[in-house]
Amino acid sequence: LHEVANDERRRADDLAAEVDTLRRRLDDARTAESAAHGHASALRQQQEEHDAELHEARESVANMERVLAAFQAQKQRDLDEKTRYLTFELDDVKAQLHRQNDAVAKAKADAEAQVRAARRDLAAKNNTISSLQGKLGDLRQALEQTMLKMNDANMIDKRIVSHLLVNYVSSVRERRGDDGDIIRVMAGLLNWDAEAMQRVGLIDPDASDDVPRGPGG
């Protein structure tokens, strides 16, 4: 009995030790569970904070996208308005340039037409002058020959002819100052004196000694 009792005590002690071991393990497990719960809570809190930060970041990005979209839309409107204004200005400048080119072309054409007309007029006047100069030379030569023949044949009275011619020439020269060459020829052929030469304007009053002489003088 004594041995049985000892065995029972040993068995009871072993059971008690085993129970203590199990209690310690249970305490360790509870401690580990508590730590795990704390860690999980910390992780959940971190996750919540991360989610809040992520939500805030997403809201910030959305706000920035809205601001950027509004800015781009305003810039596009400004660009479209500026483009329309510049297009209008360009069309106006093109129209002005076209009108200016037309005006320059017209002015050039008018100037060229005027130059051609002036050249034709100048050529006609030169031809007229050349023709008149030729006729004047022919008339002068014919007049000289005629006066020489009349002078040599004593067919005219120089005093009567001179008197009539001086009166006529002086009256004509009061109206227009030409016919100088023909008058000089006549003065030389008819031997006009200084008074007659002054009356028809061939000499100045102070130059009475410079009297031209013709073939008959």
Side-chain angles (χ1 to χ4, degrees):
L1 291 174
H2 182 69
E3 292 179 358
V4 172
N6 287 332
D7 291 336
E8 290 293 333
R9 280 197 295 272
R10 284 194 299 273
R11 192 174 296 148
D13 290 337
D14 292 338
L15 290 174
E18 188 176 353
V19 169
D20 289 338
T21 300
L22 291 175
R23 285 178 177 174
R24 285 195 298 273
R25 288 180 179 177
L26 179 60
D27 290 339
D28 292 339
R30 288 175 178 173
T31 301
E33 183 182 5
S34 177
H37 283 299
H39 185 65
S41 177
L43 289 177
R44 283 194 298 271
Q45 183 177 0
Q46 289 179 359
Q47 183 65 37
E48 291 174 356
E49 291 175 355
H50 289 165
D51 290 342
E53 291 177 356
L54 180 60
H55 179 72
E56 183 177 355
R58 287 176 177 173
E59 287 292 329
S60 178
V61 170
N63 290 333
M64 289 297 295
E65 288 178 347
R66 287 192 293 269
V67 171
L68 180 59
F71 176 77
Q72 289 177 342
Q74 183 62 42
K75 284 298 181 182
Q76 187 63 42
R77 288 192 294 270
D78 294 343
L79 180 60
D80 293 341
E81 182 66 24
K82 189 67 174 178
T83 301
R84 286 192 296 271
Y85 175 75
L86 291 178
T87 301
F88 175 78
E89 288 291 322
L90 180 60
D91 292 340
D92 184 63
V93 170
K94 287 181 178 179
Q96 292 181 6
L97 181 60
H98 182 71
R99 291 193 296 270
Q100 185 67 28
N101 289 335
D102 290 343
V104 170
K106 185 177 183 303
K108 183 179 179 180
D110 292 342
E112 291 176 351
Q114 292 177 1
V115 169
R116 289 192 297 269
R119 287 176 178 174
R120 288 193 299 269
D121 186 59
L122 180 61
K125 289 182 178 178
N126 288 334
N127 292 333
T128 301
I129 291 173
S130 298
S131 177
L132 291 176
Q133 287 176 346
K135 291 180 180 180
L136 179 61
D138 294 340
L139 290 174
R140 183 185 298 114
Q141 184 177 3
L143 180 61
E144 289 177 354
Q145 292 176 356
T146 301
M147 294 302 295
L148 285 174
K149 291 179 180 179
M150 294 174 65
N151 187 35
D152 292 340
N154 295 319
M155 295 175 63
I156 59 172
D157 188 338
K158 291 183 179 180
R159 290 174 298 174
I160 296 175
V161 174
S162 294
H163 178 72
L164 294 175
L165 187 58
V166 166
N167 290 335
Y168 169 74
V169 171
S170 63
S171 64
V172 170
R173 290 186 64 85
E174 289 177 359
R175 296 192 297 271
R176 55 189 181 91
D178 52 6
D179 299 332
D181 292 339
I182 295 177
I183 297 172
R184 288 188 180 88
V185 173
M186 297 292 294
L189 293 174
L190 297 175
N191 297 322
W192 286 354
D193 57 13
E195 181 181 358
M197 300 281 280
Q198 291 175 10
R199 288 184 61 187
V200 298
L202 291 178
I203 62 173
D204 294 332
D206 297 332
S208 58
D209 293 336
D210 185 13
V211 179
R213 297 294 180 180

